[in-house]
Amino acid sequence: MSKVFVNIGLSLDGYMAPEGMTMGKPEFKNWGAKWGAMMAWLMGQQYFRENVLKFGPGGETGPVNDLVRSTFERIGANIMGKRMFDQGEVAWPEEAPFHTSVYVLTHEPREPWVRPGGTTFYFVNDGPQRALELAREAAGSRDIRIAGGADVIQQYLSLGVVDELEIALAPVLFGAGRRLFEHLREPAPQFRIDRVLDGPAATHVRYVRQ
Amino acid sequence: MSKVFVNIGLSLDGYMAPEGMTMGKPEFKNWGAKWGAMMAWLMGQQYFRENVLKFGPGGETGPVNDLVRSTFERIGANIMGKRMFDQGEVAWPEEAPFHTSVYVLTHEPREPWVRPGGTTFYFVNDGPQRALELAREAAGSRDIRIAGGADVIQQYLSLGVVDELEIALAPVLFGAGRRLFEHLREPAPQFRIDRVLDGPAATHVRYVRQ
């Protein structure tokens, strides 16, 4: 069966996004520089530059690039929150960078939005369990990525359905922002360390649910 | 010159201590089991059992044990907060497990408290900078450990004097408790990844200030 996984960059102090990131210009509270420092491990990787950013040939190769490739290639469906979608709707290129069905958790009904390149956004009004059912149907033998934001990841963690938690822990301190780990329902899910990749700009740890 | 370092266990969700840990019995909010799960990487190591817990010969050897030994052997002085001291005063054996001078940050004057085995507690009423000066004098060529708790580590991080931040990140989720990273003054100190040791029960990452 498909695995449900999270794969995110995280600041050392536990933030997925620095304070001010939803407030527009990257100069605001210096969020652009902070976010860039957190995601530096990703931005230069060949797979990400060629296949996601569509910058053309070039970029770093090696174990981190292999990790990025395997992460993207195993995704059969994505789930995201409405805030993440709203930010992306105005920022993604016409060919949205998912190339799968994407289930958006929202209270607002909306017809599916088909983008060139294989991405279709479906707007789910019946909660996270229903979105997961739909994503499982769409994913086939591939896996389901809970893309974000933090609140959506928290909901799926509390439901106990996240099989794998992949964190790229970057050596940056944000001081404030949107924390990954908050509002967890007790008992919290139990994980074990499955794999560590010691990269120069982040420590990539994969946790598997016990 | 002596390095100033922090070496702690941390839950995956960023807590140094689970909720309820200061409230007495380990059954309260299950804090004993949670804390034990976070520190499982340490409790079985030969150096810790023989030299800190004084359990006599035995225990695990290998790279984690070597890390524990080198951590303890480089300490020339400790600094801690009053709450940590208060908890330890009633819990430590007569031979307190420091074997160095320990500077306790407090507003209450008190004469130095000399313990057998080389530990003397000094009570510093003039703030963290003064405690660090005293610790530097006492440490000689060895290093200064900021032992805790979280609030004291935060004060020294905000002062920008922490040279090395060593974290044993355990795959446990507490959900609530005392966070390591809070109340950081801007601009936050900048660290780089220096070394990662991939242990079975924790990921040991050492960060060095840039």
Side-chain angles (χ1 to χ4, degrees), chain A residues 103-183:
Chain A
Y103 297 90
V104 180
L105 292 168
T106 174
H107 297 291
E108 297 165 30
R110 176 170 165 178
E111 289 300 305
W113 189 41
V114 182
R115 310 307 297 150
T119 302
T120 299
F121 295 95
Y122 295 94
F123 301 88
V124 181
N125 308 135
D126 306 315
Q129 294 272 26
R130 179 65 184 147
L132 184 55
E133 287 170 20
L134 293 168
R136 279 200 197 280
E137 285 167 27
S141 61
R142 287 191 291 163
D143 296 328
I144 298 155
R145 181 180 188 172
I146 312 297
D151 54 337
V152 170
I153 295 171
Q154 288 157 17
Q155 287 180 54
Y156 284 100
L157 281 173
S158 285
L159 287 172
V161 296
V162 175
D163 298 305
E164 298 169 2
L165 187 52
E166 299 177 339
I167 294 177
L169 190 66
V172 298
L173 297 173
F174 284 175
R178 193 169 290 273
R179 287 194 193 272
L180 170 59
F181 292 111
E182 278 186 316
H183 315 301

Side-chain angles (χ1 to χ4, degrees), chain B:
Chain B
M1 195 166 73
S2 298
K3 300 285 187 190
V4 177
F5 79 102
V6 169
N7 181 298
I8 53 154
L10 197 67
S11 76
L12 176 53
D13 51 353
Y15 297 100
M16 279 185 64
E19 191 180 15
M21 189 165 175
T22 53
M23 302 293 281
K25 295 193 170 153
E27 298 80 13
F28 181 72
K29 290 185 183 274
N30 204 27
W31 77 253
K34 287 180 168 179
W35 192 81
M38 182 177 81
M39 301 306 285
W41 63 271
L42 177 62
M43 294 302 161
Q45 301 302 322
Q46 182 190 52
Y47 183 88
F48 193 72
R49 294 174 65 87
E50 292 186 0
N51 297 83
V52 182
L53 299 177
K54 305 282 183 187
F55 281 180
E60 290 172 45
T61 57
V64 177
N65 189 56
D66 294 343
L67 193 69
V68 174
R69 177 189 293 109
S70 68
T71 299
F72 278 92
E73 288 183 349
R74 73 173 169 128
I75 302 172
N78 282 275
I79 296 175
M80 71 176 60
K82 182 61 162 39
R83 179 165 27 210
M84 182 172 171
F85 172 79
D86 286 345
Q87 290 183 284
E89 188 175 13
V90 296
W92 292 316
E94 193 181 0
E95 189 176 312
F98 299 99
H99 315 290
T100 70
S101 293
V102 179
Y103 297 90
V104 180
L105 292 169
T106 174
H107 298 291
E108 297 164 32
R110 176 170 165 178
E111 289 300 305
W113 189 42
V114 181
R115 310 305 297 149
T119 302
T120 299
F121 295 94
Y122 296 92
F123 301 88
V124 182
N125 308 135
D126 305 315
Q129 294 272 28
R130 179 64 184 147
L132 184 55
E133 287 171 18
L134 294 168
R136 278 199 197 282
E137 285 168 26
S141 61
R142 287 191 292 162
D143 296 328
I144 298 155
R145 182 180 189 174
I146 312 298
D151 55 336
V152 170
I153 295 172
Q154 290 158 14
Q155 288 179 54
Y156 284 100
L157 282 173
S158 285
L159 287 171
V161 297
V162 175
D163 298 304
E164 298 169 1
L165 187 53
E166 299 176 339
I167 294 176
L169 190 67
V172 298
L173 297 172
F174 283 174
R178 193 168 291 273
R179 287 193 193 273
L180 170 59
F181 293 111
E182 277 186 315
H183 315 299
L184 278 183
R185 205 170 300 163
E186 294 260 2
Q190 298 204 308
F191 290 94
R192 63 175 172 78
I193 301 165
D194 179 61
R195 187 185 63 197
V196 177
L197 174 62
D198 175 13
T203 307
H204 305 265
V205 191
R206 183 195 209 192
Y207 301 94
V208 170
R209 188 155 49 92
Q210 288 184 309

Side-chain angles (χ1 to χ4, degrees), chain A residues 184-206:
Chain A
L184 278 183
R185 206 170 298 162
E186 295 259 0
Q190 297 203 308
F191 291 95
R192 62 175 173 78
I193 301 166
D194 179 62
R195 187 185 63 197
V196 177
L197 174 61
D198 175 13
T203 308
H204 306 265
V205 191
R206 183 196 208 193

Side-chain angles (χ1 to χ4, degrees), chain A residues 62-82:
Chain A
V64 177
N65 189 56
D66 295 343
L67 192 69
V68 174
R69 178 190 290 108
S70 67
T71 299
F72 277 93
E73 288 183 349
R74 73 174 170 126
I75 302 172
N78 282 275
I79 296 175
M80 71 176 60
K82 181 60 163 40

